[in-house]
Amino acid sequence: MGVVDDLKAKLGESAVLTGEAAEEKAQGGWSALGTPLAVVRPSSTEEVSFILKTCHAAGQGVVAWGGKTGLVEGGNAEGMIALSLERLNKIEGIDTVSGTMTLGAGVPLEAACDAAEEKGFFFPLDLGARGSATIGGNIATNAGGNRVLRYGMMREMVLGLEAVLADGTVIPAMNQMIKNNAGYDLKQLFIGSEGTLGIVTRAVVRLRAAPKSQDTGFVAVQDFKNLPKLLRHMEAALGGTLSAFEVMWEDFYKLVTTEPAAGRPVLPHGTPYYVLVESLGGNQEEDTPRFETALMSALEAGLASDAVIAKSEAERNAMWALRDDVAQVIHLFPIFTYDVSLRIADMEAYIDEVRAALTAKIPEHKLIVFGHLGDGNLHVIVGKHDGTPETRRLVEEIVYGPLRKIGGSVSAEHGIGLEKRPYLGWSRSPAEVALMGVLKRTLDPKGILNPGKVLEGEMKAAAE
Ligand code: ZN
């Protein structure tokens, strides 16, 4: 009997999908998921352990699937067992005294946020894929998103977790405390390692106080050098409540405020940069005047040339809808999308360099830039080219190349997956990559966990 038969015998036919049913499950991913050998849907940690033990014995590759909204082919399960955690979707409990939530890896992010809200708390992770993305996937990829400036990435929100190692060993690390320095913090091995070191099955996450005020504004900025000044000004003036500082370059703003996009300008076109700023606080009556004063003084200081404040929920939603309407880039197809990070001080020269190189090599290109400037994170989209693999490589070199000399990262928040693997060494030193290899071979000696992702050649090295 093969691995799939063994799994069917133990877990039941309905938990092991093959053929058309498996292919159907592999549809709708945000990046390629491949054609898995089977899609296995365990309903408990014990079943995950059994699956890994079985696959480990057979040397069979396993790829964990959450909401399938990853963007770098980290979930590509071509010829492997896809381990879907969708049935581990229970919110086990909320500790309202400690402010923690214990939940299964398959709980959708939005459901976790709703459950926190019901108890008067706030789970601050916020990203475009919130309806489908799962907590386990958020952990495996160390998800970022729109509020990192204030609350950090997923890593800062995870107190404890349970993970299953390649050989089926369950590691219960369900720590409930913010402070715990008893030895190595093992959960960090699994956060952001894209399913290559273990499979996360449960977690304890930290909840925050639910904000009682929300103020949102849109600001026009004439000069890049004023963007970091405006950021620092707003941080200081808002006393730690600044929660979003989302910058849109003019081309992005035009794209999402012009037909066929549904959005309309909240400030006139014609300014090089637009910023969505938001503050989450504790008292609307006090916070709104403070927010207005902060923006007013930014205008007076010449940091911004124009600003508008949302006066209603509808206006706030309209502002966020512009920032979130990344889908408009379909009008620029074919596109290549990038997610880089670099020091804010290097950003202007970096974008100038990328733009100049693209103009020289691909005159017809369209460059769209936006992102979480406060986190050093820019999303760069290059469209209107021939879309060939040769052009992809050329554009990758143009976008990633300049990051090497300034210590930037080829992946701010999307991860490495398959897509960025050739460039890992452009952002990490040889010693760092070598240590990653040591961890990989130690925890997954047969190389069965998400084979070939993140690190190149580890599967091969492990098999030798
Ligand atoms: Zn982002």
Side-chain angles (χ1 to χ4, degrees), residues 17-74:
L17 309 177
T18 51
E20 260 177 51
E23 275 171 46
E24 208 170 288
K25 277 277 179 194
Q27 300 306 311
W30 290 21
S31 66
L33 295 168
T35 305
L37 190 61
V39 180
V40 187
R41 303 163 63 243
S43 61
S44 67
T45 301
E46 293 66 39
E47 289 188 355
V48 174
S49 171
F50 174 81
I51 293 162
L52 288 178
K53 201 179 288 176
T54 305
C55 290
H56 190 253
Q60 171 62 51
V62 180
V63 181
W65 278 1
K68 300 181 281 193
T69 58
L71 295 170
V72 293
E73 290 194 42

Side-chain angles (χ1 to χ4, degrees), residues 144-146 246 323 339 370-372 377 379 413-414:
N146 294 333
E246 295 291 311
R323 167 58 185 83
D339 156 50
F370 61 101
H372 323 282
N377 180 189
H379 295 311
E413 60 181 359
H414 295 168

Side-chain angles (χ1 to χ4, degrees), residues 210-215 279-285 287-288:
K212 296 204 165 47
S213 78
Q214 189 173 12
D215 291 287
S279 161
L280 296 174
N283 184 320
Q284 194 74 66
E285 275 168 33
D287 294 340
T288 297

Side-chain angles (χ1 to χ4, degrees), residues 257-428:
T257 53
T258 311
E259 298 263 10
R264 289 295 161 263
V266 292
L267 288 173
H269 289 164
T271 309
Y273 308 98
Y274 296 85
V275 190
L276 189 160
V277 287
E278 188 161 88
S279 161
L280 296 174
N283 184 320
Q284 194 74 66
E285 275 168 33
E286 291 171 7
D287 294 340
T288 297
R290 186 170 64 161
F291 189 75
E292 289 167 352
T293 304
L295 282 182
M296 197 66 78
S297 55
L299 287 166
E300 280 163 9
L303 301 179
S305 58
D306 203 353
V308 60
I309 292 174
K311 292 292 178 203
S312 65
E313 190 67 28
E315 287 184 16
R316 181 200 327 286
N317 292 341
M319 287 179 183
W320 272 109
L322 298 182
R323 167 58 185 83
D324 283 343
D325 197 12
V326 181
Q328 291 307 320
V329 298
I330 58 167
H331 304 298
L332 310 177
F333 270 16
I335 57 164
F336 301 139
T337 64
Y338 304 98
D339 156 50
V340 301
S341 63
L342 59 161
R343 296 186 322 135
I344 298 172
D346 292 326
M347 281 181 183
E348 187 179 24
Y350 168 74
I351 294 297
D352 285 350
E353 187 176 346
V354 169
R355 195 186 300 277
L358 287 171
T359 303
K361 300 265 175 57
I362 313 169
E364 69 281 14
H365 84 280
K366 184 89 179 145
L367 174 66
I368 296 288
V369 184
F370 61 101
H372 323 282
L373 182 119
D375 313 329
N377 180 189
L378 295 180
H379 295 311
V380 175
I381 295 176
V382 181
K384 299 241 174 185
H385 42 67
D386 62 15
T388 60
E390 293 72 37
T391 301
R392 175 185 284 271
R393 262 195 301 283
L394 173 67
V395 176
E396 281 172 353
E397 278 177 28
I398 289 172
V399 173
Y400 293 147
L403 297 170
R404 301 182 76 171
K405 57 180 186 278
I406 55 176
S409 173
V410 298
S411 178
E413 60 181 359
H414 295 168
I416 293 292
L418 274 185
E419 234 183 74
K420 300 188 179 187
R421 204 179 58 175
Y423 302 99
L424 179 65
W426 288 19
S427 290
R428 299 289 192 192

